Coordinates of all heavy atoms in Angstrom, one line a residue:
V12 N 0.8 -1.2 0.0 CA 0.0 0.0 0.0 C 0.9 1.2 0.0 O 1.9 1.3 0.7 CB -0.9 0.0 1.2 CG1 -1.7 1.3 1.3 CG2 -1.9 -1.2 1.2
F13 N 0.5 2.2 -0.8 CA 1.2 3.5 -0.9 C 0.3 4.6 -0.5 O -0.9 4.6 -0.9 CB 1.7 3.7 -2.3 CG 2.6 2.6 -2.8 CD1 2.1 1.5 -3.5 CD2 4.0 2.7 -2.7 CE1 2.9 0.5 -4.0 CE2 4.8 1.7 -3.1 CZ 4.3 0.6 -3.8
W14 N 0.8 5.5 0.4 CA 0.0 6.7 0.8 C 0.7 7.9 0.2 O 1.9 8.1 0.3 CB 0.1 6.8 2.3 CG -0.8 5.8 3.0 CD1 -0.5 4.6 3.5 CD2 -2.2 5.9 3.2 NE1 -1.6 3.9 4.0 CE2 -2.7 4.7 3.8 CE3 -3.2 6.9 2.9 CZ2 -4.0 4.5 4.2 CZ3 -4.5 6.6 3.2 CH2 -4.9 5.5 3.9
Y15 N -0.2 8.7 -0.4 CA 0.3 10.0 -1.1 C -0.4 11.2 -0.5 O -1.5 11.1 0.0 CB -0.1 9.9 -2.6 CG 0.7 8.8 -3.3 CD1 0.1 7.6 -3.5 CD2 1.9 9.1 -4.0 CE1 0.8 6.6 -4.2 CE2 2.6 8.1 -4.7 CZ 2.0 6.9 -4.8 OH 2.7 5.9 -5.5
Q16 N 0.3 12.3 -0.6 CA -0.2 13.6 -0.2 C -0.2 14.5 -1.5 O 0.8 14.5 -2.2 CB 0.7 14.2 0.8 CG 0.3 15.6 1.3 CD 1.3 16.2 2.2 OE1 2.5 16.3 1.8 NE2 1.0 16.5 3.4
Q17 N -1.3 15.2 -1.7 CA -1.4 16.2 -2.8 C -1.8 17.5 -2.2 O -3.0 17.8 -2.0 CB -2.4 15.8 -3.9 CG -2.3 16.7 -5.1 CD -3.2 16.2 -6.2 OE1 -4.1 15.5 -6.0 NE2 -2.9 16.7 -7.4
P18 N -0.8 18.4 -1.9 CA -1.1 19.7 -1.4 C -1.9 20.5 -2.5 O -1.8 20.2 -3.7 CB 0.2 20.3 -1.1 CG 1.2 19.2 -1.0 CD 0.6 18.1 -1.9
P19 N -2.6 21.6 -2.1 CA -3.3 22.4 -3.1 C -2.4 22.9 -4.2 O -1.3 23.3 -3.9 CB -3.9 23.6 -2.2 CG -3.9 23.0 -0.8 CD -2.8 22.1 -0.7
R20 N -2.8 22.8 -5.4 CA -2.1 23.3 -6.6 C -0.7 22.6 -6.7 O 0.3 23.3 -7.2 CB -2.0 24.8 -6.6 CG -3.3 25.5 -6.6 CD -3.3 27.0 -6.3 NE -2.8 27.3 -5.0 CZ -3.5 27.2 -3.9 NH1 -4.7 26.7 -3.9 NH2 -3.0 27.5 -2.7
N21 N -0.6 21.4 -6.3 CA 0.7 20.7 -6.4 C 0.5 19.3 -6.8 O -0.6 18.8 -6.9 CB 1.4 20.7 -5.0 CG 2.5 21.6 -4.9 OD1 3.4 21.7 -5.8 ND2 2.6 22.4 -3.8
G22 N 1.6 18.6 -7.2 CA 1.5 17.2 -7.6 C 1.5 16.2 -6.4 O 1.7 16.7 -5.2
L23 N 1.4 15.0 -6.7 CA 1.4 13.9 -5.6 C 2.8 13.8 -5.1 O 3.8 13.8 -5.8 CB 0.9 12.6 -6.2 CG -0.5 12.5 -6.6 CD1 -0.8 11.1 -7.3 CD2 -1.4 12.6 -5.4
K24 N 2.8 13.6 -3.7 CA 4.1 13.3 -3.1 C 3.9 12.0 -2.3 O 2.9 11.8 -1.5 CB 4.4 14.4 -2.1 CG 4.7 15.7 -2.7 CD 4.9 16.8 -1.6 CE 5.1 18.1 -2.2 NZ 5.4 19.2 -1.2
L25 N 4.8 11.0 -2.5 CA 4.7 9.8 -1.8 C 5.1 10.0 -0.3 O 6.2 10.6 0.0 CB 5.6 8.7 -2.4 CG 5.7 7.4 -1.7 CD1 4.3 6.7 -1.7 CD2 6.7 6.5 -2.4
I26 N 4.3 9.5 0.6 CA 4.6 9.7 2.0 C 5.2 8.4 2.5 O 6.3 8.5 3.1 CB 3.3 9.9 2.9 CG1 2.6 11.2 2.4 CG2 3.6 9.9 4.4 CD1 1.2 11.4 3.0
V27 N 4.6 7.3 2.3 CA 5.1 6.0 2.9 C 4.5 4.8 2.1 O 3.5 4.9 1.5 CB 4.6 5.9 4.4 CG1 3.1 5.9 4.5 CG2 5.1 4.7 5.1
S28 N 5.3 3.8 2.0 CA 4.9 2.5 1.5 C 4.9 1.5 2.6 O 5.7 1.5 3.5 CB 5.8 2.1 0.3 OG 7.1 2.0 0.7
S29 N 3.9 0.6 2.5 CA 3.7 -0.4 3.6 C 3.4 -1.7 2.9 O 2.7 -1.8 1.9 CB 2.5 0.1 4.4 OG 2.1 -0.9 5.3
S30 N 3.9 -2.7 3.5 CA 3.6 -4.1 3.1 C 3.4 -5.0 4.3 O 3.9 -4.7 5.4 CB 4.6 -4.6 2.1 OG 5.8 -4.8 2.8
T31 N 2.8 -6.2 4.0 CA 2.6 -7.1 5.1 C 3.9 -7.8 5.5 O 4.0 -8.4 6.6 CB 1.6 -8.2 4.8 OG1 2.0 -8.8 3.5 CG2 0.2 -7.5 4.6
W32 N 4.9 -7.8 4.7 CA 6.1 -8.5 4.9 C 7.3 -7.6 5.3 O 8.4 -8.1 5.6 CB 6.5 -9.4 3.7 CG 6.8 -8.5 2.5 CD1 8.0 -8.0 2.1 CD2 5.9 -8.2 1.5 NE1 7.8 -7.3 1.0 CE2 6.6 -7.4 0.5 CE3 4.5 -8.4 1.3 CZ2 5.9 -6.9 -0.6 CZ3 3.9 -7.9 0.2 CH2 4.6 -7.1 -0.8
S33 N 7.1 -6.3 5.4 CA 8.3 -5.5 5.8 C 7.8 -4.2 6.6 O 6.6 -4.0 6.6 CB 9.1 -5.0 4.6 OG 8.3 -4.1 3.8
H34 N 8.7 -3.5 7.1 CA 8.3 -2.3 7.9 C 7.9 -1.2 6.9 O 8.2 -1.2 5.8 CB 9.5 -1.8 8.7 CG 9.9 -2.8 9.8 ND1 9.2 -3.0 10.9 CD2 11.0 -3.6 9.9 CE1 9.8 -3.9 11.7 NE2 10.9 -4.3 11.1
N35 N 7.2 -0.2 7.5 CA 6.8 0.9 6.7 C 8.1 1.7 6.2 O 9.0 1.8 7.0 CB 5.9 1.9 7.5 CG 4.6 1.2 7.9 OD1 4.1 0.3 7.2 ND2 4.0 1.7 9.0
S36 N 8.1 2.1 5.0 CA 9.2 2.9 4.5 C 8.8 4.3 4.2 O 8.0 4.5 3.2 CB 9.7 2.2 3.2 OG 10.8 2.9 2.6
Y37 N 9.3 5.2 4.9 CA 8.9 6.6 4.8 C 9.9 7.4 3.9 O 11.1 7.2 3.9 CB 8.9 7.3 6.2 CG 7.7 6.9 7.0 CD1 7.8 5.7 7.8 CD2 6.6 7.6 7.0 CE1 6.7 5.3 8.6 CE2 5.5 7.2 7.8 CZ 5.5 6.1 8.5 OH 4.4 5.7 9.3
E38 N 9.3 8.3 3.1 CA 10.1 9.1 2.2 C 10.7 10.3 3.1 O 10.3 10.6 4.2 CB 9.2 9.7 1.1 CG 8.7 8.7 0.2 CD 9.8 7.9 -0.6 OE1 10.6 8.6 -1.3 OE2 9.8 6.7 -0.5
D39 N 11.8 10.9 2.5 CA 12.4 12.0 3.2 C 11.4 13.1 3.5 O 10.6 13.4 2.6 CB 13.5 12.6 2.3 CG 14.8 11.7 2.3 OD1 14.9 10.8 3.1 OD2 15.6 11.9 1.4
G40 N 11.5 13.6 4.7 CA 10.6 14.7 5.1 C 9.3 14.2 5.8 O 8.5 15.0 6.3
Y41 N 9.1 12.9 5.8 CA 7.9 12.3 6.4 C 8.4 11.3 7.5 O 9.4 10.7 7.3 CB 7.0 11.6 5.4 CG 6.5 12.5 4.3 CD1 7.1 12.6 3.1 CD2 5.3 13.2 4.6 CE1 6.6 13.5 2.1 CE2 4.8 14.1 3.6 CZ 5.5 14.2 2.4 OH 5.0 15.0 1.4
S42 N 7.6 11.1 8.5 CA 8.0 10.2 9.6 C 6.7 9.6 10.2 O 5.6 10.1 10.1 CB 8.8 10.9 10.7 OG 7.9 11.8 11.4
E43 N 7.0 8.5 10.9 CA 5.9 7.8 11.6 C 5.4 8.6 12.8 O 4.2 8.5 13.1 CB 6.5 6.4 12.2 CG 5.4 5.6 12.8 CD 5.9 4.2 13.3 OE1 7.1 4.0 13.3 OE2 5.0 3.4 13.6
A44 N 6.2 9.5 13.3 CA 5.7 10.4 14.4 C 4.6 11.3 13.9 O 3.7 11.6 14.7 CB 6.9 11.2 14.9
K45 N 4.5 11.6 12.6 CA 3.5 12.5 12.1 C 2.4 11.6 11.3 O 1.2 11.9 11.5 CB 4.1 13.5 11.1 CG 3.2 14.4 10.5 CD 2.6 15.4 11.4 CE 1.8 16.5 10.7 NZ 1.2 17.4 11.6
F46 N 2.9 10.7 10.5 CA 2.0 9.9 9.7 C 2.1 8.4 10.1 O 2.9 7.7 9.7 CB 2.4 10.0 8.2 CG 2.3 11.4 7.7 CD1 3.4 12.3 7.7 CD2 1.1 11.9 7.2 CE1 3.3 13.6 7.2 CE2 1.0 13.2 6.7 CZ 2.1 14.0 6.8
E47 N 1.2 8.0 11.0 CA 1.2 6.7 11.6 C 0.3 5.8 10.7 O -0.8 6.0 10.4 CB 0.6 6.7 13.0 CG 0.7 5.3 13.6 CD 0.1 5.4 15.0 OE1 -1.1 5.7 15.1 OE2 0.8 5.2 16.0
V48 N 0.9 4.7 10.2 CA 0.2 3.7 9.4 C 0.0 2.4 10.2 O 1.0 1.9 10.7 CB 1.0 3.4 8.1 CG1 0.3 2.3 7.3 CG2 1.1 4.7 7.3
N49 N -1.2 2.0 10.2 CA -1.5 0.7 10.8 C -2.1 -0.2 9.8 O -3.1 0.1 9.1 CB -2.6 0.9 12.0 CG -1.9 1.5 13.2 OD1 -0.9 1.1 13.6 ND2 -2.5 2.6 13.6
R50 N -1.5 -1.4 9.6 CA -2.0 -2.3 8.6 C -2.5 -3.5 9.4 O -1.7 -4.4 9.8 CB -0.9 -2.7 7.6 CG -1.4 -3.6 6.5 CD -1.0 -3.0 5.2 NE -1.7 -3.8 4.1 CZ -1.0 -4.2 3.1 NH1 0.2 -3.9 2.9 NH2 -1.7 -4.9 2.2
K51 N -3.8 -3.6 9.7 CA -4.3 -4.7 10.5 C -4.5 -6.0 9.8 O -4.5 -7.0 10.4 CB -5.6 -4.2 11.1 CG -5.5 -3.0 12.0 CD -6.8 -2.5 12.6 CE -6.6 -1.1 13.2 NZ -6.6 -1.1 14.6
S52 N -4.6 -6.0 8.5 CA -4.7 -7.2 7.7 C -4.4 -6.8 6.3 O -4.1 -5.7 5.9 CB -6.1 -7.7 7.8 OG -7.0 -6.9 7.1
T53 N -4.4 -7.8 5.4 CA -4.1 -7.5 4.0 C -5.2 -6.7 3.3 O -5.0 -6.1 2.3 CB -3.9 -8.8 3.2 OG1 -5.1 -9.6 3.4 CG2 -2.7 -9.6 3.7
D54 N -6.4 -6.7 4.0 CA -7.5 -6.0 3.4 C -7.8 -4.6 4.1 O -8.8 -3.9 3.7 CB -8.8 -6.8 3.6 CG -8.7 -8.1 2.8 OD1 -8.0 -8.2 1.8 OD2 -9.4 -9.1 3.2
Y55 N -7.0 -4.2 5.1 CA -7.4 -3.0 5.9 C -6.1 -2.3 6.3 O -5.2 -2.9 6.9 CB -8.2 -3.4 7.1 CG -8.6 -2.2 7.9 CD1 -9.7 -1.5 7.6 CD2 -7.8 -1.8 9.0 CE1 -10.1 -0.3 8.4 CE2 -8.2 -0.7 9.8 CZ -9.3 0.0 9.5 OH -9.6 1.1 10.2
T56 N -6.1 -1.0 5.9 CA -4.9 -0.2 6.4 C -5.5 1.2 6.7 O -6.5 1.7 6.2 CB -3.8 -0.1 5.3 OG1 -2.7 0.6 5.9 CG2 -4.3 0.6 4.1
L57 N -4.8 1.9 7.7 CA -5.3 3.2 8.2 C -4.1 4.1 8.4 O -3.1 3.6 9.0 CB -6.0 3.0 9.5 CG -6.5 4.3 10.2 CD1 -7.6 4.9 9.4 CD2 -6.9 4.0 11.6
M58 N -4.1 5.3 7.9 CA -3.1 6.3 8.1 C -3.7 7.4 9.0 O -4.7 7.9 8.6 CB -2.5 6.9 6.9 CG -1.4 7.9 7.2 SD -0.6 8.6 5.7 CE -1.8 9.7 5.1
T59 N -3.1 7.7 10.1 CA -3.5 8.7 11.0 C -2.5 9.8 11.0 O -1.3 9.6 11.1 CB -3.6 8.2 12.5 OG1 -4.5 7.1 12.5 CG2 -4.1 9.3 13.4
I60 N -3.0 11.1 10.7 CA -2.1 12.2 10.7 C -2.2 12.9 12.1 O -3.3 13.3 12.5 CB -2.5 13.2 9.6 CG1 -2.6 12.5 8.3 CG2 -1.5 14.4 9.6 CD1 -3.2 13.3 7.2
K61 N -1.1 13.0 12.8 CA -1.1 13.5 14.1 C -0.7 15.0 14.2 O 0.0 15.5 13.3 CB 0.0 12.7 15.0 CG -0.3 11.2 15.0 CD 0.7 10.5 15.8 CE 0.5 9.1 16.0 NZ 1.5 8.4 16.7
N62 N -1.3 15.7 15.2 CA -0.9 17.1 15.4 C -1.1 17.9 14.2 O -0.2 18.5 13.7 CB 0.5 17.2 16.0 CG 0.6 16.4 17.3 OD1 -0.2 16.5 18.2 ND2 1.7 15.7 17.4
L63 N -2.3 17.9 13.6 CA -2.6 18.6 12.4 C -2.3 20.1 12.5 O -2.5 20.8 13.5 CB -4.1 18.5 12.0 CG -4.5 17.2 11.5 CD1 -6.0 17.1 11.4 CD2 -3.8 16.9 10.1
T64 N -1.7 20.6 11.4 CA -1.5 22.1 11.3 C -2.0 22.5 9.9 O -2.3 21.6 9.1 CB 0.0 22.4 11.4 OG1 0.7 21.9 10.3 CG2 0.6 21.9 12.7
L65 N -1.9 23.8 9.6 CA -2.3 24.2 8.3 C -1.5 23.7 7.2 O -1.9 23.5 6.0 CB -2.3 25.8 8.2 CG -3.4 26.5 9.0 CD1 -3.2 28.0 9.0 CD2 -4.8 26.1 8.5
K66 N -0.2 23.3 7.4 CA 0.7 22.7 6.4 C 0.2 21.4 6.0 O 0.6 20.9 5.0 CB 2.1 22.6 7.0 CG 2.8 24.0 7.2 CD 4.2 23.7 7.8 CE 4.9 25.1 8.0 NZ 6.2 24.9 8.5
D67 N -0.6 20.7 6.8 CA -1.1 19.4 6.4 C -2.3 19.4 5.5 O -2.8 18.4 5.1 CB -1.5 18.6 7.7 CG -0.3 18.4 8.6 OD1 0.7 18.1 8.1 OD2 -0.5 18.6 9.8
E68 N -2.8 20.6 5.1 CA -3.9 20.7 4.2 C -3.6 20.1 2.9 O -2.6 20.6 2.2 CB -4.3 22.2 4.0 CG -5.5 22.3 3.1 CD -5.9 23.8 2.8 OE1 -5.2 24.7 3.3 OE2 -6.8 24.0 2.0
A69 N -4.3 19.1 2.5 CA -4.0 18.4 1.3 C -5.1 17.3 1.0 O -5.9 17.1 1.9 CB -2.6 17.7 1.3
T70 N -5.1 16.8 -0.1 CA -5.9 15.6 -0.4 C -4.9 14.4 -0.2 O -3.8 14.4 -0.7 CB -6.5 15.6 -1.8 OG1 -7.2 16.8 -2.0 CG2 -7.3 14.4 -2.1
Y71 N -5.4 13.4 0.4 CA -4.6 12.2 0.7 C -5.2 11.0 -0.1 O -6.4 10.8 -0.1 CB -4.5 11.9 2.2 CG -3.7 13.0 2.9 CD1 -4.4 14.1 3.4 CD2 -2.4 12.9 3.1 CE1 -3.7 15.1 4.0 CE2 -1.7 13.9 3.8 CZ -2.3 15.0 4.2 OH -1.6 16.0 4.8
F72 N -4.3 10.2 -0.7 CA -4.7 9.0 -1.4 C -4.0 7.8 -1.0 O -2.8 7.9 -0.5 CB -4.3 9.2 -2.9 CG -5.0 10.4 -3.6 CD1 -4.4 11.6 -3.6 CD2 -6.2 10.2 -4.2 CE1 -5.0 12.7 -4.3 CE2 -6.9 11.3 -4.8 CZ -6.2 12.5 -4.9
C73 N -4.6 6.7 -1.1 CA -3.9 5.4 -0.9 C -4.0 4.6 -2.2 O -5.0 4.8 -3.0 CB -4.4 4.6 0.3 SG -6.1 4.0 0.1
A74 N -3.0 3.8 -2.5 CA -3.0 3.0 -3.7 C -2.5 1.6 -3.3 O -1.6 1.5 -2.4 CB -2.1 3.6 -4.8
A75 N -3.1 0.6 -3.8 CA -2.7 -0.8 -3.5 C -2.6 -1.6 -4.7 O -3.3 -1.4 -5.7 CB -3.8 -1.4 -2.5
S76 N -1.8 -2.6 -4.6 CA -1.7 -3.6 -5.7 C -1.9 -5.0 -5.2 O -1.6 -5.3 -4.0 CB -0.4 -3.5 -6.5 OG 0.7 -3.8 -5.6
D77 N -2.4 -5.9 -5.9 CA -2.7 -7.2 -5.5 C -1.8 -8.1 -6.4 O -2.0 -8.3 -7.6 CB -4.2 -7.6 -5.7 CG -4.5 -9.0 -5.2 OD1 -3.7 -9.5 -4.4 OD2 -5.6 -9.4 -5.5
H78 N -0.7 -8.7 -5.8 CA 0.2 -9.5 -6.5 C -0.3 -11.0 -6.5 O -0.5 -11.6 -5.6 CB 1.6 -9.5 -5.9 CG 2.2 -8.1 -6.0 ND1 2.6 -7.6 -7.2 CD2 2.4 -7.1 -5.1 CE1 3.1 -6.4 -7.0 NE2 2.9 -6.0 -5.8

């Protein structure tokens, strides 16, 4: 699963990738302290954004692939 952020008038930015077989992999500038990802099963994942500020204003997307 991939989580993306799209700030207003900007392109998509990858935040984190997550899989059932490895740890979450955060891109530069993003961290688990701010963007917590919980993957409870192969069918369910949740990203929580902590301590929201105006800088967090964006549309957020998730993308998944089924291998």
